[in-house]
Amino acid sequence: MKRIQHFSVAILSLLSSVDAVKPLVDLGYSNYQGKVLSNGVTQWLGVRYAAPPLGDLRFSPPQDPLNNDTVQDAKDWNFICIGTGAASSKIGTTQSEDCLFVNVFAPSDATKDSKLPVFAFIQGGGFNTNSSPYVNGAGLINAGDMDMVVVTMNYRVGPYGFIVDGDKITPNIGLHDQRKALKWVQKYISKFGGDPDHVMMGGDSAGAASVAHHLSAYGGKDEGLFHAAAAESVSFANMLTVKESVYLYDNLAIRLGCVGKNALACLRSKSALEIQVANYNIPYPGAAAAPLYMWTPVIDGDLVPDLTYKLFEEGKFVKVPAIMGDDTNGGTVFTPKNTSTLAESDAILKAQFSFLTLEQLGTINDFYPNKNDTCPNSGCYWRQVSDAYGELRYMCPGIYISNAFTQHGVPNSWNYLYNVEDPDQMAQGLGVPHTVEVYSIFGPEYAGGDPPVSYLEGGVNEDVIPVIQGYWSSFIRSFNPNTHRDSASVKWETWTKKRKQRIVFETGGVTKMEKISKDLQKRCDYFASIGPSIRQ
């Protein structure tokens, strides 16, 4: 009997290896040759999910990828989308308009029938850059028992993704790009071993804002593109209507000499290098200085039917299990270190949120009294404005969404605070800065940047990695962060209407649950009350 069992296992193992997805994958419109890695993962980099947005397709919604009979090399990273303010030397080397690619990572032994959970990750960059284009999913796949497929995506940013003329240009092209990539996942991910009926959509910063936009797209219409969501540092930015945003189009056209009845055709005729010379930020109407991120989603009455605060207040979002959260000091990397006066602090906030009134600024100042009496190596008001900006734009919106999920009957909602201190970042005065947890989620060597030294082997925060990856891989696999969590970590309790609680990730891998403080809730309640008036 044992011989028969061993024989059966051997046959099944052989069949599995025979049926495993090959590095050469046929997608119908093209064949892509991937690369088998030594860690048991195969990767396909730079897979087209849409046609090159060139010529007449510039400033147009994404179209289906073109047929190509030539085998495409998918072993190395392809171009990323052109970022506002990027050096012209990057165009044609690392950045291009021809940038609508996804990257796929899957266990090498996955078969087309594996139906593995899928993590579709949307990178951030303020909708003005692709800030994390080289994230590699292999580390997370290994941490998750080889039980998932990871997809990352590029999407158009800056004027290429968010310009509007009030007439011929479809608004929010960059968000349409993301939805096109999510639709690509639905159609093709099974060829890599993934399950299109089990997709967790995630993102950081503007990618997290994108998660919020897709949750509330078309007023919460569920098109079956995702089945759970996780957002690291949701951003509620200043949002204008299409009509209010035309001034951006007009000014870009004027800079490029494209005036008259054929202005759009003229803009489409310009080279990417010509556009890049004119691709810089200008102030919002009524503001004295340019915002950090000028090209952002607009209210179009369709894909983005209203302000984000309003849509979540009214329950107009897809009801799926969700994780929301932020870092302790989310504003420090955005505000100038030399901010020295309260007037400078107010001017910075006004530049980002042009509809802020003097009365509202006064209330915000009262909420964030300046505690920096010594001001070593930086302006006295840097941390004051950092705290205000971080909670206004990031932390409080995430808390608001968690509240909205609970209020509208979604029981499976979790919130977190990432409070893992890196000695270098603390010494710089950054505290625990914006989206640093991405190094933990993907693994420090896989996050596509220079990780904090303390996260590397032997560092004080080495133990954070398995804890974070345990929760995130569990959520990807089961839509519950606790199912496969690390044995050393606490149970992550859900956010409830009565008990507004979140997990806190601490230095060294320590975890604990806490109720948010009354002071934080008071500040967040105020920001929610003024959110619609300041266009969030």
Side-chain angles (χ1 to χ4, degrees), residues 166-210:
D167 182 19
K168 297 177 182 178
I169 297 178
T170 300
N172 299 312
I173 291 168
L175 294 179
H176 284 286
D177 287 347
Q178 295 170 7
R179 290 185 82 79
K180 186 73 170 177
L182 292 171
K183 290 175 182 177
W184 182 94
V185 168
Q186 287 299 303
K187 189 171 183 178
Y188 296 107
I189 203 61
S190 62
K191 292 181 177 291
F192 301 88
D195 184 357
D197 295 321
H198 188 117
V199 177
M200 194 278 272
M201 170 184 63
D204 69 314
S205 194
S210 299

Side-chain angles (χ1 to χ4, degrees), residues 149-280:
V149 174
V150 176
V151 179
T152 67
M153 65 186 74
N154 296 338
Y155 56 94
R156 282 172 285 179
V157 290
Y160 298 98
F162 294 96
I163 198 170
V164 293
D165 67 344
D167 182 19
K168 297 177 182 178
I169 297 178
T170 300
N172 299 312
I173 291 168
L175 294 179
H176 284 286
D177 287 347
Q178 295 170 7
R179 290 185 82 79
K180 186 73 170 177
L182 292 171
K183 290 175 182 177
W184 182 94
V185 168
Q186 287 299 303
K187 189 171 183 178
Y188 296 107
I189 203 61
S190 62
K191 292 181 177 291
F192 301 88
D195 184 357
D197 295 321
H198 188 117
V199 177
M200 194 278 272
M201 170 184 63
D204 69 314
S205 194
S210 299
V211 168
H213 284 305
H214 294 305
L215 284 167
S216 58
Y218 306 108
K221 180 182 179 182
D222 189 352
E223 296 184 333
L225 301 180
F226 52 86
H227 312 95
E232 295 92 53
S233 300
V234 176
S235 170
F236 282 13
N238 194 67
M239 288 181 66
L240 304 178
T241 64
V242 169
K243 184 177 180 180
E244 290 168 335
S245 301
V246 172
Y247 81 97
L248 296 172
Y249 171 88
D250 290 346
N251 279 278
L252 181 65
I254 290 169
R255 279 178 248 161
L256 289 166
C258 292
V259 297
K261 292 188 292 185
N262 297 317
L264 180 55
C266 175
L267 283 173
R268 284 179 168 148
S269 74
K270 297 293 181 180
S271 70
L273 285 171
E274 288 175 303
I275 289 179
Q276 196 63 4
V277 172
N279 187 8
Y280 56 85

